[in-house]
Amino acid sequence: MNMFRKGIALLLAFCLLAFTGCSVSLKSSKEEKTPVATIGGYDVPYELYRYVVLNYKTQFEDGQSADVWLGESGKALMEELNANVEYSLVKMYTALSLCEEYGLTPDNPLISGTVDVRMDAIYESFEGDLKAYKEYITDGYMNDSVYRFLVQNEVLGEELFYLLQNKGVIEKDEDVLRQMMDTDTFIRVKQILIPDNNGLSEEENRGLIEDIYARLENGEDFEELMGMYGQDLYMFNNDDGYYIAPGSRFVEFEEAAFGLAVGEYSPVVKTPAGYSIIKRYEKDAAYIDAHFDELCQEYFDGAYNVIMEEHAASLTMTVLPAMEKYSIFTME
């Protein structure tokens, strides 16, 4: 999480000179700035809402027929899209909201200066061609204001991470962390994974994992079945498996894994990656010592994710009347 703390004036001067005389404007329109919702007391502008909606719309339409939005299935798809949009927007405002609780705001010189440097570096990568930059971000349903907001979020998240460490919310003492790795804060697991993207249908994958589970129940060896059917690339030729801390994996995976005793395997678990059966193993002290830095990062990332998820759960999105004039079919 390196911070760009120097060279702000130099890069800014370069970009201002590079774009001099260009008639293309990066300024948001009045409509783009119109608040369409609030999250945790923050206004959500139409430009950000549009960016999230259209990216999900494109994702949902990928490989589908033109009538994907029609009928009952289209109604269900629209509900799923709206739920995903709300979830994503709340996540976007989580760092901003939590940072404010710790007295860290976007107008802090460190934050605003770092954002300026990163944005200027992006402008520089287009060699002063503002039109090319605008076309590039427009292809992703963004404008300059949305791009800057995303960069600001990234910077705030990085500073928040260090702030939480320095305040002791996220443990960073190495002696304490090493002791922690001997507790159930860390567990060791392996999985038999049947991924969604393996060319088989959902029904076929479900049938395959249920057959594997039945064979486990009939006494067959987990390791042998994992070798024959598991499609987790990380598990190939890896006797160590995963050493995981809370917050570092899919929620469904963790709920199953941390509920196991050593030697137990889980029922079939569905995650965004596919179907899994998870088994818990004894930890190896020599492995922990050899991979200490890697496991510390596992803990740091997981602890940060847990804090962010808990704060996100405290935020709600309230739709404003201005939202009524917009439809996903008229935003293009």
Side-chain angles (χ1 to χ4, degrees), residues 246-274:
S248 60
R249 297 294 186 275
F250 292 124
V251 173
E252 303 90 341
F253 187 97
E254 288 187 9
E255 287 178 349
F258 281 95
L260 299 172
V262 172
E264 289 183 339
Y265 58 82
S266 73
V268 172
V269 179
K270 183 67 172 75
T271 77

Side-chain angles (χ1 to χ4, degrees), residues 3 55 80 294 317:
M3 304 300 296
N55 273 284
E80 182 181 355
E294 176 186 329
M317 175 172 154

Side-chain angles (χ1 to χ4, degrees), residues 47-304:
E47 59 193 4
L48 184 62
Y49 174 72
R50 176 182 179 274
Y51 160 71
V52 177
V53 168
L54 291 183
N55 273 284
Y56 272 117
K57 179 174 179 282
T58 300
Q59 177 184 317
F60 284 10
E61 290 176 343
D62 184 37
Q64 303 293 325
S65 63
D67 61 357
V68 64
W69 299 103
L70 303 178
E72 286 301 314
S73 60
K75 180 181 178 181
L77 192 63
M78 183 68 74
E79 291 175 353
E80 182 181 355
L81 180 144
N82 287 331
N84 285 341
V85 167
E86 179 173 350
Y87 175 81
S88 295
L89 286 170
V90 168
K91 287 288 224 181
M92 287 181 175
Y93 282 86
T94 300
L96 182 60
S97 174
L98 191 53
C99 278
E100 187 171 13
E101 289 191 8
Y102 284 94
L104 191 63
T105 60
D107 58 3
N108 178 289
L110 170 62
I111 301 300
S112 59
T114 303
V115 172
D116 285 342
V117 168
R118 294 193 186 182
M119 289 302 299
D120 293 341
I122 292 165
Y123 299 150
E124 183 182 4
S125 70
F126 285 86
E127 299 179 347
D129 189 343
L130 192 55
K131 183 178 179 181
Y133 163 71
K134 192 168 184 178
E135 289 175 352
Y136 169 74
I137 60 177
T138 299
D139 285 343
Y141 308 114
M142 283 189 289
N143 60 14
D144 184 67
S145 179
V146 169
Y147 205 156
R148 181 175 289 271
F149 177 83
L150 298 178
V151 171
Q152 174 188 283
N153 240 14
E154 180 181 75
V155 174
L156 283 170
E158 291 169 356
E159 285 301 310
L160 179 61
F161 175 82
Y162 292 121
L163 186 62
L164 293 172
Q165 280 193 318
N166 291 334
K167 288 186 174 295
V169 181
I170 296 178
E171 183 59 64
K172 66 176 182 178
D173 183 274
E174 292 189 354
D175 291 335
V176 175
L177 288 170
R178 182 60 186 84
Q179 294 172 15
M180 190 184 296
M181 290 174 192
D182 290 331
T183 72
D184 283 345
T185 299
F186 274 82
I187 61 172
R188 177 189 177 196
V189 297
K190 298 183 183 182
Q191 72 166 333
I192 300 171
L193 171 67
I194 305 299
D196 287 335
N197 60 351
N198 63 353
L200 300 179
S201 68
E202 174 82 9
E203 184 179 354
E204 289 172 323
N205 281 334
R206 179 75 191 184
L208 177 56
I209 197 72
E210 287 179 346
D211 179 64
I212 294 170
Y213 184 78
R215 291 170 65 174
L216 281 170
E217 291 285 86
N218 287 329
E220 293 194 44
D221 184 70
F222 185 92
E223 298 271 342
E224 290 183 5
L225 290 170
M226 182 175 67
M228 288 189 287
Y229 298 104
Q231 298 173 50
D232 181 348
L233 296 179
Y234 183 81
M235 296 304 306
F236 291 163
N237 300 316
N238 175 19
D239 292 333
D240 298 304
Y242 292 98
Y243 282 69
I244 65 174
S248 60
R249 297 294 186 275
F250 292 124
V251 173
E252 303 90 341
F253 187 97
E254 288 187 9
E255 287 178 349
F258 281 95
L260 299 172
V262 172
E264 289 183 339
Y265 58 82
S266 73
V268 172
V269 179
K270 183 67 172 75
T271 77
Y275 289 105
S276 294
I277 301 172
I278 306 157
K279 184 175 180 179
R280 182 173 171 184
Y281 287 73
E282 286 278 7
K283 289 177 288 189
D284 181 351
Y287 177 91
I288 293 174
D289 290 337
H291 297 82
F292 180 71
D293 290 343
E294 176 186 329
L295 294 180
C296 283
Q297 193 60 55
E298 176 92 5
Y299 163 75
F300 295 149
D301 293 343
Y304 179 80

